[in-house]
Amino acid sequence: MAVPDLTQQQLDDIYAFAVDLGRRAGQLLMESIEKRMDGEEQQTVEEKENAVDIVTQTDEDVEIFIKTAIQNKYPSHKFLGEESYAKGQSRDYLIDEHPTWCIDPLDGTVNFTHIFPMFCVSLGFIVNHRPLIGVIYAPFQDQLFSSCPNRGAWLNEKRRLPLLRNPVPPMPSNAPSKCIFSCEWGKDRRDIPDGNMQRKIESFVNMAADAGGRGGKGGMVHGMRSLGSATLDLAYTAMGSFDIWWEGGCWEWDVAAGIAILLEAGGLVTTANPPEDVDTAPIEDVRLGSRLYLAIRPAGPSATETGRESQERTVREVWRRVRHLEYTRPGA
Amino acid sequence: MAVPDLTQQQLDDIYAFAVDLGRRAGQLLMESIEKRMDGEEQQTVEEKENAVDIVTQTDEDVEIFIKTAIQNKYPSHKFLGEESYAKGQSRDYLIDEHPTWCIDPLDGTVNFTHIFPMFCVSLGFIVNHRPLIGVIYAPFQDQLFSSCPNRGAWLNEKRRLPLLRNPVPPMPSNAPSKCIFSCEWGKDRRDIPDGNMQRKIESFVNMAADAGGRGGKGGMVHGMRSLGSATLDLAYTAMGSFDIWWEGGCWEWDVAAGIAILLEAGGLVTTANPPEDVDTAPIEDVRLGSRLYLAIRPAGPSATETGRESQERTVREVWRRVRHLEYTRPGA
């Protein structure tokens, strides 16, 4: 059942609310950091799945703050937050076609506990499974990424994304060469033969190695970047700073806002896992909840290709070099 | 021949000059970015050793700006800059005991060309081979890291480094677990059996894998981070955000300012390459110019160890997990 479309005025109102809420939630994160820096507060960290999967009291407090604000303003909207989900029993994909907020109060929790600036609040607004509005706020460096349908994607509501847009550059003709490749080591560190960690590493090395290396799979990317925040990886891809982001294992609250922003900026998101025929398989929009993501930055036309063609060519070149990852998911 | 010590007043004056110069140079970097974002200027990129080793016109312009300012203010000081060095014939270590500025007008050049914010200007002031004063300025996020002997290390001249200092936390008792490990894939991507790239990757995987993995070498670090800027890696280690930074292949202008800041903040820098007996070998200060660096963040005492003891324990745990890298260097 599709729900009726929202009007532009309704979307604009939700967007303005989300931007304000993102800034206020980010301010709460900074207040917590400042108390720790001033020695007024110690941090309590709780482990979830393993020693690198953690939650802090701040995560939970900020999620309640966000949830309360949304429920007061939009009582008919559904709400899905990382911390409340994590406490539930189900690992199903719970989003349906109704207007739903999918939020992460604190993405980059490990960064936050170490006071490395790459942490953020992430607010995604989804209708009919499509992320429509996104707000990502990284308060330590005061970077707010946001988007609304037909209004564009923005950095700090001042600079339109992607940042280079006069004109928007095409993907490099020999991509993934000349591309910045963003990837994360993630939380699954089990050293199992042909397990996810080993497949990720094999994929990373293929992307990094010089063009003659790895039996012709060498991608010789311009740079390999790991920030420790899937949400900010996507934000920087929307900005045009990262050309390619490839990831398995993250959840819908990690990516909902980022996908909205990336798509509005002109980027592409499909599945991380290569299909059987990488040369001809259709390049489909990613299914939210699939836990497997490959994002390409916004791209403009060249003399010989449309922007979309250059993005699709890049997707196929990545698929040639990466392994299948196994992150199953009920209900997605 | 040792040169006479500078007075505190002389150091304070040089420090104030360096902070101002760093900010002005960073502003030039931002002006170049803004012109590109406004479509007023195209970027010219020239390759050096290979497709990922690049220099821009901005690198060269900003180096001349910095060099001129230093020569006007301190005509007796020596000067070593990345771009003038790269144009020379020698790959020797050229710094002697005299007061010398060792600067990088733009560290993170790949990030700069892609407008990923992790780029910076780096100004190191060295006497008797010891980095004394450091200024690192990342203008996109307006983060200035600086230090002067006996005056402390600072973020934006407001927050003393490390950021957590009430009290400064010791290194984790089971380090490298609970540590953020900062490492870079670098520019040498030759896929040679047992070459530097393969040795780096083996070391990365050892640090990342769960504690039972890799034949007992699994480090299960809290996070793996790659920013694409050795200079900012060191700055964030001084800040306490990164616990461990391990790197081979970078040059003295990449690290001179960062080492000054890290040491003044209470960090430790030694060699990346494990000695024969990792349990008992003395942990010596790194030789500037060696191209092999292992940095540990500032650490305070615990009930059972001094901060230095916990840093040295961490060094040995890293050495157990990393491979020798081969970056030879005449004259260092």
Side-chain angles (χ1 to χ4, degrees):
Chain A
M1 182 188 79
V3 297
D5 284 343
L6 294 162
T7 66
Q8 187 68 47
Q9 184 60 53
Q10 284 174 314
L11 290 169
D12 289 348
D13 288 348
I14 294 168
Y15 173 70
F17 167 76
V19 166
D20 178 63
L21 183 59
R23 282 199 188 278
R24 285 189 293 146
Q27 194 49 46
L28 292 180
L29 297 181
M30 278 313 287
E31 284 169 18
S32 164
I33 292 257
E34 274 155 22
K35 280 185 192 156
R36 281 164 60 210
M37 290 195 293
D38 292 336
E40 289 166 19
E41 208 171 73
Q42 296 296 312
Q43 180 172 255
T44 51
V45 174
E46 217 176 292
E47 293 183 7
K48 294 195 285 192
E49 300 271 324
N50 63 29
V52 300
D53 190 15
I54 56 175
V55 63
T56 68
Q57 189 58 46
T58 310
D59 280 82
E60 300 185 352
D61 293 346
V62 176
E63 178 154 321
I64 290 167
F65 168 80
I66 292 169
K67 185 176 185 175
T68 306
I70 290 172
Q71 288 179 335
N72 287 340
K73 177 83 175 177
Y74 296 109
S76 70
H77 291 178
K78 295 192 167 188
F79 179 88
L80 183 71
E82 172 173 14
E83 301 316 330
S84 33
Y85 183 96
K87 291 210 161 115
Q89 294 307 309
S90 163
R91 288 293 166 269
D92 285 4
Y93 175 65
L94 299 177
I95 294 173
D96 65 16
E97 67 275 12
H98 291 94
T100 302
W101 293 80
C102 183
I103 74 104
D104 192 346
L106 171 51
D107 189 77
T109 303
V110 167
N111 290 338
F112 179 79
T113 63
H114 290 255
I115 318 189
F116 175 56
M118 288 290 171
F119 59 86
C120 61
V121 55
S122 173
L123 309 176
F125 178 70
I126 299 164
V127 183
N128 287 320
H129 300 278
R130 188 177 163 85
L132 284 186
I133 289 171
V135 169
I136 295 170
Y137 184 47
F140 197 102
Q141 62 254 52
D142 192 24
Q143 288 173 358
L144 181 108
F145 307 85
S146 63
S147 75
C148 180
N150 308 311
R151 302 301 192 200
W154 298 86
L155 173 63
N156 290 341
E157 298 179 275
K158 275 197 312 227
R159 280 276 176 192
R160 194 156 177 178
L161 304 182
L163 291 181
L164 285 182
R165 49 186 307 106
N166 293 303
V168 178
M171 298 303 292
S173 59
N174 54 350
S177 181
K178 295 215 160 55
C179 290
I180 291 190
F181 180 66
S182 162
C183 57
E184 304 291 344
W185 292 71
K187 292 167 184 164
D188 181 356
R189 309 278 187 72
R190 290 170 298 171
D191 184 30
I192 301 166
D194 208 36
N196 275 326
M197 187 180 75
Q198 291 196 0
R199 291 179 186 201
K200 268 193 170 183
I201 291 157
E202 188 183 328
S203 306
F204 295 175
V205 178
N206 284 345
M207 295 298 285
D210 65 359
R214 309 284 294 175
K217 285 199 171 175
M220 192 59 170
V221 296
H222 235 182
M224 308 278 292
R225 300 290 178 268
S226 300
L227 305 181
S229 163
T231 303
L232 286 170
D233 289 338
L234 262 174
Y236 288 120
T237 308
M239 194 154 114
S241 310
F242 293 163
D243 301 277
I244 302 163
W245 175 66
W246 179 78
E247 179 61 304
C250 51
W251 300 92
E252 41 274 30
W253 48 82
D254 295 320
V255 297
I259 288 176
I261 296 168
L262 181 76
L263 292 178
E264 182 68 22
L268 180 160
V269 199
T270 188
T271 180
N273 274 356
E276 214 154 290
D277 186 344
V278 300
D279 291 318
T280 58
I283 290 172
E284 291 171 358
D285 289 346
V286 80
R287 287 178 302 116
L288 190 64
S290 72
R291 305 190 66 197
L292 295 160
Y293 300 97
L294 169 58
I296 309 290
R297 70 156 165 85
S302 68
T304 55
E305 281 178 314
T306 66
R308 174 81 191 187
E309 283 167 345
S310 76
Q311 290 171 324
E312 294 203 352
R313 170 172 50 76
T314 306
V315 165
R316 296 186 198 284
E317 291 297 334
V318 176
W319 279 344
R320 282 194 182 95
R321 291 168 172 88
V322 296
R323 294 285 309 274
H324 252 263
L325 299 176
E326 289 191 0
Y327 292 96
T328 54
R329 183 67 185 281
Chain B
M1 183 187 80
V3 296
D5 284 343
L6 294 162
T7 65
Q8 186 69 45
Q9 183 60 52
Q10 285 174 314
L11 289 168
D12 289 347
D13 289 348
I14 293 167
Y15 173 70
F17 168 76
V19 166
D20 178 65
L21 182 59
R23 282 199 188 279
R24 285 190 292 147
Q27 195 48 46
L28 293 180
L29 298 180
M30 277 313 287
E31 284 169 17
S32 163
I33 291 257
E34 274 155 21
K35 279 185 192 155
R36 281 164 60 209
M37 291 195 293
D38 293 336
E40 289 167 18
E41 208 171 74
Q42 296 296 311
Q43 180 172 256
T44 51
V45 174
E46 217 176 291
E47 293 183 7
K48 294 195 285 192
E49 300 272 325
N50 65 28
V52 300
D53 189 17
I54 56 175
V55 63
T56 68
Q57 189 58 46
T58 310
D59 280 82
E60 299 185 353
D61 293 347
V62 177
E63 177 154 322
I64 290 166
F65 168 80
I66 292 169
K67 185 175 185 175
T68 305
I70 290 171
Q71 287 179 335
N72 286 342
K73 177 84 175 178
Y74 296 109
S76 70
H77 292 178
K78 295 191 168 188
F79 179 89
L80 182 71
E82 171 173 14
E83 301 317 330
S84 33
Y85 183 95
K87 291 209 161 115
Q89 294 306 308
S90 162
R91 286 295 166 267
D92 286 4
Y93 175 65
L94 299 177
I95 295 174
D96 65 17
E97 68 276 12
H98 291 94
T100 302
W101 292 80
C102 182
I103 73 106
D104 192 347
L106 171 51
D107 188 78
T109 303
V110 168
N111 291 338
F112 179 80
T113 62
H114 291 255
I115 318 189
F116 176 55
M118 289 288 171
F119 59 85
C120 61
V121 55
S122 175
L123 309 176
F125 178 69
I126 299 164
V127 183
N128 286 322
H129 299 279
R130 188 178 163 85
L132 285 185
I133 289 171
V135 168
I136 295 170
Y137 184 48
F140 197 103
Q141 62 254 51
D142 193 24
Q143 289 173 357
L144 181 108
F145 307 84
S146 62
S147 75
C148 180
N150 309 311
R151 301 301 191 201
W154 298 85
L155 174 63
N156 289 342
E157 298 180 275
K158 274 197 312 229
R159 280 274 178 194
R160 195 155 176 179
L161 304 182
L163 291 180
L164 285 182
R165 48 185 308 106
N166 294 302
V168 178
M171 298 303 291
S173 59
N174 54 351
S177 181
K178 296 216 159 56
C179 291
I180 291 191
F181 180 65
S182 161
C183 57
E184 303 291 344
W185 292 71
K187 292 167 184 164
D188 181 355
R189 309 279 187 74
R190 289 170 299 171
D191 184 30
I192 301 165
D194 208 35
N196 275 326
M197 188 180 73
Q198 291 197 0
R199 292 180 186 201
K200 268 193 170 183
I201 291 158
E202 189 184 329
S203 306
F204 295 176
V205 178
N206 285 345
M207 295 298 285
D210 66 359
R214 308 286 293 176
K217 285 200 172 176
M220 193 59 171
V221 295
H222 234 182
M224 308 277 294
R225 301 289 178 267
S226 300
L227 305 181
S229 163
T231 303
L232 286 170
D233 289 338
L234 262 174
Y236 288 120
T237 308
M239 195 155 115
S241 310
F242 293 163
D243 300 279
I244 302 164
W245 175 66
W246 179 77
E247 179 62 302
C250 51
W251 301 91
E252 41 274 29
W253 48 82
D254 295 320
V255 298
I259 289 176
I261 296 167
L262 181 76
L263 293 178
E264 182 68 22
L268 180 159
V269 199
T270 187
T271 179
N273 274 357
E276 215 154 290
D277 186 345
V278 299
D279 292 317
T280 57
I283 290 171
E284 289 171 1
D285 290 345
V286 79
R287 287 176 302 115
L288 190 66
S290 73
R291 304 190 67 198
L292 295 160
Y293 300 97
L294 170 57
I296 309 292
R297 70 155 166 84
S302 68
T304 55
E305 282 179 313
T306 66
R308 173 81 191 188
E309 283 167 346
S310 76
Q311 291 170 325
E312 294 202 352
R313 171 172 51 75
T314 307
V315 166
R316 296 187 198 284
E317 291 296 335
V318 175
W319 279 345
R320 282 193 182 94
R321 291 168 173 87
V322 296
R323 294 285 310 274
H324 252 263
L325 300 176
E326 288 191 0
Y327 292 96
T328 53
R329 183 67 185 282

